[in-house]
């Protein structure tokens, strides 16, 4: 009887220990965990985002595929030896914000400190300059020495094998590098609402360019930021000409990414001009937005990579040879 009682108690103990790992409750808990990094609101299909978390000295590569965002891999990194947000040249701090990689250098062009490969970022960006920050040469690069936490002059250093691995997932001027002290996570539903609202605002902004008045166009911009509108009168005349020819000019955005850091939203997209059956890539447009009184307002508007100016493309499409 003592042996049977022991076996019964053992079986009961096994049930108590094992059942939680296979019960539906655990799957429900996993399923409702819908938190995502607040920095990545929207990624174009098959695009990646690099998140650098200074607190944990970790680089994460996020990928968007099949309508889902997931961590493809994470690796240790080393950021600036001085904590805090970069303010000026030589302070040995790593900046925080949304950046993009401008170039790619192989080891034969690099000094040994940069390892096997290096990618310069576009620091200081528009927001940094507006805040009076300066400095340069903030790169993601490898290293030929042992990787130690907080051991760089402000760059993001990786082991050589990891920077080579990362290079397979980088598209210059498109893959964002978002540097933060600590990754903030929010509910997926909030991200979806942000994406919907910003996408709607972008469509309305494009409609104002296509058909609206100067005041319609200007209404999308913050009162503290005046965009360059020297082209508007010429653009309006070309629009009239296109309408008279029976087919208005259209502006199209494609491969739109939406990113966030410290109350600023960064929208990057390929910008096309369309007339009849002809489509011209103008370049990459980058908008910086703030939510002001429950409306997204543009606080910065630049071309990251200009292929052809808007007016020049419009003249070519509507009046060839002009």
């Amino acid at each position: 009887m003592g042996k049977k009682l022991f076996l019964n108690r053992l079986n009961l103990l096994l049930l108590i220990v094992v059942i939680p790992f296979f019960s539906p409750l655990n799957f429900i808990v996993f399923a409702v965990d819908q938190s995502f990094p607040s920095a990545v609101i929207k990624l174009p299909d098959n695009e990646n985002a690099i998140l650098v978390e200074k607190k944990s000295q970790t680089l994460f590569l996020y990928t968007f595929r099949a309508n889902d965002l997931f961590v493809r891999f994470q690796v240790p990194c080393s950021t600036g030896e001085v904590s805090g947000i970069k303010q000026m040249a030589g302070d040995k701090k790593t900046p925080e914000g949304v950046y993009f990689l401008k170039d790619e250098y192989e080891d034969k062009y690099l000094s040994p400190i940069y390892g096997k490969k290096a990618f310069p970022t576009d620091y200081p960006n528009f927001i940094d300059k507006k805040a009076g920050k300066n400095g340069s040469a903030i790169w993601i690069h490898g290293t030929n020495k042992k990787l130690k936490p907080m051991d760089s002059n402000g760059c993001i250093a990786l082991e050589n094998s990891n920077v080579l691995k990362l290079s397979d997932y980088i598209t210059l001027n498109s893959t964002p590098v978002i540097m933060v002290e600590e990754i903030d996570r929010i509910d997926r539903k909030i991200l979806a609402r942000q994406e919907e609202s910003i996408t709607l605002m972008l469509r309305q902004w494009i409609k104002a360019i296509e058909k609206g008045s100067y005041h319609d166009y200007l209404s999308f911009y913050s009162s503290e930021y005046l965009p360059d509108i020297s082209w508007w009168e010429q653009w309006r005349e070309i629009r009239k000409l296109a309408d008279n020819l029976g087919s208005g000019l259209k502006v199209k955005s494609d491969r739109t990414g939406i990113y966030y850091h410290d109350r600023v939203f960064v929208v990057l997209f390929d910008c096309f001009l369309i007339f009849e059956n002809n489509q011209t890539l103008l370049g990459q447009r980058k908008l910086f937005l703030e939510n002001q009184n429950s409306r997204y307002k543009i606080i910065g508007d630049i071309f990251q990579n200009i292929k052809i100016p808007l007016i020049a493309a419009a003249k070519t499409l509507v009046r060839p040879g002009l």
Side-chain angles (χ1 to χ4, degrees):
M1 288 294 294
K3 182 177 180 181
K4 184 176 181 181
L5 180 61
F6 171 77
L7 290 174
N8 286 339
R9 288 179 176 177
L10 178 61
N11 288 334
L12 179 61
L13 179 62
L14 287 173
L15 285 173
I16 292 172
V17 173
V18 173
I19 282 178
F21 289 97
F22 295 96
S23 70
L25 180 61
N26 279 275
F27 288 102
I28 293 172
V29 169
F30 180 79
V32 299
D33 182 14
Q34 294 294 316
S35 63
F36 286 80
S38 63
V40 184
I41 297 172
K42 181 181 181 181
L43 269 178
D45 287 338
N46 300 314
E47 182 58 279
N48 307 292
I50 299 167
L51 267 69
V52 176
E53 187 176 56
K54 293 159 67 174
K55 182 178 180 179
S56 65
Q57 295 289 280
T58 306
L59 181 148
F60 298 84
L61 182 79
Y62 281 84
T63 294
F64 184 78
R65 188 173 63 197
N67 202 33
D68 201 6
L69 186 70
F70 65 95
V71 178
R72 184 178 287 272
F73 63 79
Q74 62 186 73
V75 295
C77 68
S78 179
T79 60
E81 63 181 74
V82 179
S83 61
I85 303 172
K86 187 171 186 63
Q87 302 291 333
M88 62 186 68
D91 63 9
K92 297 188 176 182
K93 297 179 181 180
T94 296
E96 295 180 18
V98 179
Y99 303 97
F100 297 89
L101 300 169
K102 302 185 299 181
D103 212 336
E104 178 177 356
Y105 299 136
E106 303 291 339
D107 56 348
K108 61 183 178 180
Y109 302 111
L110 298 169
S111 62
I113 192 174
Y114 296 112
K116 293 292 184 181
K117 196 177 284 284
F119 297 90
T121 73
D122 62 352
Y123 173 87
N125 64 16
F126 174 85
I127 298 299
D128 296 321
K129 293 174 182 176
K130 184 179 177 182
K133 299 175 184 178
N134 60 32
S136 61
I138 300 298
W139 295 9
I140 293 179
H141 63 79
T143 181
N144 289 339
K145 63 179 183 179
K146 184 178 180 181
L147 190 72
K148 298 178 182 179
M150 296 183 66
D151 192 39
S152 81
N153 288 327
C155 293
I156 297 93
L158 304 174
E159 294 176 347
N160 281 326
S161 60
N162 287 329
V163 77
L164 292 174
K165 179 180 180 181
L166 181 66
S167 67
D168 292 335
Y169 301 97
I170 289 174
T171 302
L172 295 180
N173 299 309
S174 180
T175 303
V177 179
I178 306 167
M179 308 178 201
V180 297
E181 176 61 27
E182 185 174 4
I183 293 175
D184 177 48
R185 302 181 71 85
I186 62 175
D187 190 272
R188 186 173 187 173
K189 292 180 181 178
I190 297 175
L191 289 176
R193 288 197 295 268
Q194 289 175 336
E195 178 186 345
E196 182 179 3
S197 297
I198 292 173
T199 300
L200 176 61
M201 174 263 173
L202 182 61
R203 285 201 297 264
Q204 293 172 336
W205 173 77
I206 288 174
K207 186 177 180 180
I209 295 174
E210 293 175 339
K211 300 291 184 181
S213 67
Y214 164 71
H215 292 290
D216 294 332
Y217 172 72
L218 202 61
S219 69
F220 290 91
Y221 292 81
S222 169
S223 59
E224 299 175 0
Y225 175 77
L226 182 64
D228 177 18
I229 47 82
S230 59
W231 54 275
W232 185 265
E233 289 300 320
Q234 193 175 6
W235 168 247
R236 190 176 62 174
E237 293 304 314
I238 295 174
R239 278 192 340 192
K240 289 180 180 178
L241 177 59
D243 290 339
N244 291 336
L245 293 174
S247 181
L249 285 164
K250 295 185 180 298
V251 177
K252 186 183 81 170
S253 62
D254 193 27
R255 291 195 55 76
T256 302
I258 306 174
Y259 315 107
Y260 173 80
H261 178 263
D262 192 24
R263 301 185 299 278
V264 175
F265 300 83
V266 181
V267 183
L268 178 71
F269 56 92
D270 291 338
C271 186
F272 292 87
L273 185 65
I274 302 171
F275 179 71
E276 295 180 338
N277 295 322
N278 298 307
Q279 177 173 286
T280 300
L281 175 62
L282 302 175
Q284 288 177 306
R285 196 78 176 255
K286 186 192 295 181
L287 303 178
F288 295 88
L289 313 178
E290 275 187 356
N291 192 327
Q292 300 177 357
N293 299 319
S294 299
R295 286 192 63 190
Y296 290 102
K297 292 285 190 174
I298 301 171
I299 61 170
D301 177 0
I302 61 174
F303 269 109
Q304 176 169 282
N305 187 15
I306 299 174
K307 299 293 184 184
I308 181 171
L310 177 63
I311 295 297
K315 285 182 176 179
T316 301
L317 286 173
V318 178
R319 296 179 63 179
L322 182 66

